[in-house]
Amino acid sequence: MGKPSLEDVIQLYRELIEAWNKRNSVGMSELFLDGGEMIGYDGSQINGKKEIFSHLEPIFANHPTAAYVYKVKSIKLLSNETALLRAIAGMVPDGKDELNPALNAHQTLLALKTNGTWRIELFQNTPAQFHGRPDLVQRMTDELRKQLFE
């Protein structure tokens, strides 16, 4: 049995972001393990696939959520069945075509491989506000802006 492909974990993250961007609460929640956890941008902690769906459904139904633009910064295997992915993300508000730097974030995904399939154990979305360091906000925004054109 060979080393697991990190591309599979990147694909899992990509599917998570695509589900958010499509406002697909079913698709997004199905990527989590039954007991998986999500820590939202506002600090909300949501536990379990069913609760994640229940949390996302009214958000997508009632709010024109911004779309994510992202860049995977690192990924590493912690074991053959565990991987840690880190990314930066920005958001383009609905109806706009430019990033809102105030919504930049660091994202962390912990994935577990069970029965041959990678699923999310933990996804955390942390604001990247860099208080008092506007140069870091600008640097992150510039890096993410390049993703808009790829």
Side-chain angles (χ1 to χ4, degrees):
M1 184 173 212
K3 190 173 182 178
S5 170
L6 294 177
E7 184 57 41
D8 293 339
V9 178
I10 293 170
Q11 181 59 31
L12 175 65
Y13 173 72
R14 188 177 299 124
E15 289 172 13
L16 179 75
I17 298 302
E18 288 172 1
W20 171 275
N21 288 349
K22 293 177 181 174
R23 301 176 181 139
N24 181 348
S25 52
V26 172
M28 195 166 167
S29 62
E30 287 298 317
L31 297 171
F32 285 80
L33 290 164
D34 287 338
E37 297 180 51
M38 183 172 75
I39 300 174
Y41 188 85
D42 68 350
S44 299
Q45 185 172 356
I46 306 99
N47 298 306
K49 187 187 295 192
K50 290 179 184 176
E51 191 175 320
I52 290 168
F53 168 80
S54 296
H55 175 79
L56 293 171
E57 184 65 15
I59 291 171
F60 292 150
N62 299 311
H63 302 284
T65 53
Y68 279 116
V69 174
Y70 67 90
K71 182 176 183 182
V72 173
K73 298 295 282 184
S74 69
I75 182 167
K76 61 183 170 182
L77 286 174
L78 304 177
S79 74
N80 282 341
E81 294 84 28
T82 310
L84 179 66
L85 180 145
R86 288 182 54 267
I88 58 172
M91 300 191 93
V92 177
D94 191 50
K96 305 283 184 186
D97 57 6
E98 188 59 39
L99 291 165
N100 178 350
L103 300 176
N104 288 353
H106 291 280
Q107 296 184 332
T108 304
L109 182 140
L110 181 64
L112 299 180
K113 191 173 188 178
T114 57
N115 300 321
T117 304
W118 288 99
R119 287 290 174 248
I120 301 166
E121 173 64 26
L122 173 68
F123 176 68
Q124 182 166 351
N125 195 26
T126 304
Q129 297 174 347
F130 302 111
H131 297 290
R133 297 174 286 167
D135 56 313
L136 296 178
V137 174
Q138 188 62 51
R139 189 178 317 153
M140 180 184 264
T141 302
D142 291 344
E143 189 173 358
L144 289 166
R145 192 172 283 123
K146 292 176 185 173
Q147 303 300 88
L148 284 170
F149 303 107
E150 285 190 1

